[in-house]
Amino acid sequence: MRILWPMFVYCHLELVNRDEGHVAREFHRRFGPDHILLHEEDVRALAGLATPAHAESDATARKFRDNRIPISCCQYTFDLLVKYLHHANQMALLAILNAHISVTIVKGDPAPHTDEAELSAKQVITGVGPPSRIDKFNAKYDRGRWGVLEDSVEVQALDEFEEEKLREERAKKEGAKNAGDGAEGGEEGGEGGDGREGGDKGDKDGGDKPAKDAAKKKKEKDDKKEDAEDGGDASVKYEPTIVPSNIPVPELDYHHTRAAIEDIRYRVELGRGALPSVAFYTFTHAHKYLHCCVTASDASLVVGGFTDSVVRVWDVNKSTPGANRDVYCTDSESKRRKAAREEGMTLAEWEEANKDKMDVETEEDADGAATNVGENGEKLDANSRIARPVPCVEYVGHSAAVHGVDLSPGHDFLLSCSRDQTIRVWSTQLEIPLAAYKSHRFPVWDVKWCGTGHYFASASNDCTARVWAMDESQPRRVMVGHLADVDCVAWHPNTNYIATGSTDRTVRLWDVQTGDCVRIFTGHRGGVRSLAMSPDGKSMASGSDDGGVLVWDLATAKCSHAFEGHRGAVYSLDYSHGAGTVLASGGADETVKVWDVSQSALNEANGGEAGAVKAENKASAAARKPPMTSLRTKSTPVFNVQFTGRNLLMAMGARAPSVRYQAAA
């Protein structure tokens, strides 16, 4: 009865919301008496609902709509329930279980049913528990390691740039010293002093001065660091908190490290005065087939996962001029395409409507009156009429739709996960499969590489997240705690933690070393679809099906920003590199939005008084602020947004045919 009661409630509400009042009354008449003993008041209130308007205004319906019904059972019982719903293909009941029921797993064997829990008025709660309980849980792990990895590329680059700055300052001072010594020597020579005495004096001063200069530089550097920690000097360069990793991580390839440092050297620091440039990739004729996509950190590769179980990789660097055009064509053919665009028709439709004119142009082409022309009007040979698209490599191995893809930091390996319950690793250099991982019992929705490679994390329909190593067939850690599908996963920059987002509307943070949950974040009104970690490792962003974007402080587990601007699910999030003051989001509403998540923006939302108001007020104040920019596509839901190493924003999606595309002439 514990599981049948919430199933009855939400099935009845779904029938009412569909405006099927007659079916809802018949459903209530048949199954309502089974629950009248324990839930008489609620059963009678539900019997009075006949239309969607009634369900919208009724207090009882609103109570069930806005909250989750908790039940408790042992792991064995829960596994049997989930397996039955899957094997019986009861997807509607499984959706109710994921969206509206909060399952608490208790230790021990199956126990007989008791009525006390169901008769308690406090049993209808949101999320995974009351706020006080969650706050108490988060307070147990208040000493987190929030910072970047000590051997990361970012830290190496900052150290290298600091050394270059010191060398430049030393060279300037030496140049000024030499100029001063020359002038002083000239004056002493005019006085006719003792050369040995002058030399001895110079040696003495020269021996003491470098030591004094070094001590002075060290003191200045320490003072700058203290000012940065205190927030006193806004002009001080970003210096993240550095922490070691709890797990052994491999060193990145030298060439990859140097390329990343070069990107950091020429990186654009984004903010209100410097909005990101956006490059958008559109997958045409793929709205029913594309499930996921990602681009390389240097935008050299574009990867897509498709319904036909194939992973496709495009090498953008190997594209040829004019590759994005439909074809290279003749003069007459180019004119026909232009005329078709002007009349809002496809080329085939225009040719059918102007068949007589087409026959005359065909005769002219046969006589050699027309020549092949390229993108800029240049003459081409006959072979140039064939389109030369961006080279595509297909990776075939999965037996069902591919739902997640990711590239390793050095782009040497490709990771994919599928509905066939497997995870596969591919070599992008050899273009061959390397390994398959088969521990999950249900479809795998998302996979992500660790920032240093070698390790990766997966999120699955079996309500778990797992951490893997490339050289092991079984997972290193299994994170169990979510009450529904785990839809997305993200690594912390220092590799000590992973974050998971679930259909149960919560985000959890896990310690990779122990596998323990150390943070629970509640506040979303829909399932969590996307996650992103800030470069400094101190905050995290999450996007949900309700269109909300929440930014969390990892140290306090409180929401610092809450943005409401999307009109659909938020599919992807990413922070800008460097200080991480800009957050990009893309979603089902066919827009890319850019948000200001800097501390100055939060202080401005609070009236310039940082820390003077509660976190809830901070979040509401930030929610009222519009995005810095909002970019709308013609009819393309945005599946992925991603910043390159130099802070160019890459976005991509599959164009939906809901709006007819008409190119400009």
Side-chain angles (χ1 to χ4, degrees), residues 405-418:
V405 291
D406 195 28
L407 284 164
S408 64
H411 314 152
D412 296 329
F413 302 104
L414 171 63
L415 200 61
S416 62
C417 63
S418 169

Side-chain angles (χ1 to χ4, degrees), residues 81-151:
L81 173 64
V82 174
K83 285 183 179 179
Y84 168 75
L85 294 177
H86 273 279
H87 292 307
N89 201 26
Q90 298 291 336
M91 294 297 111
L93 298 182
L94 187 61
I96 292 175
L97 177 65
N98 290 340
H100 301 293
I101 301 176
S102 176
V103 181
T104 302
I105 304 298
V106 297
K107 296 182 179 180
D109 299 326
H113 172 67
T114 58
D115 299 339
E116 290 80 3
E118 297 190 30
L119 291 174
S120 174
K122 298 181 179 180
Q123 285 298 297
V124 180
I125 58 176
T126 57
V128 296
S132 59
R133 179 181 162 192
I134 297 174
D135 293 341
K136 186 181 295 185
F137 173 86
N138 292 332
K140 293 192 313 182
Y141 302 94
D142 58 347
R143 298 184 62 85
R145 302 157 64 91
W146 320 119
V148 301
L149 187 62
E150 59 182 351
D151 297 327

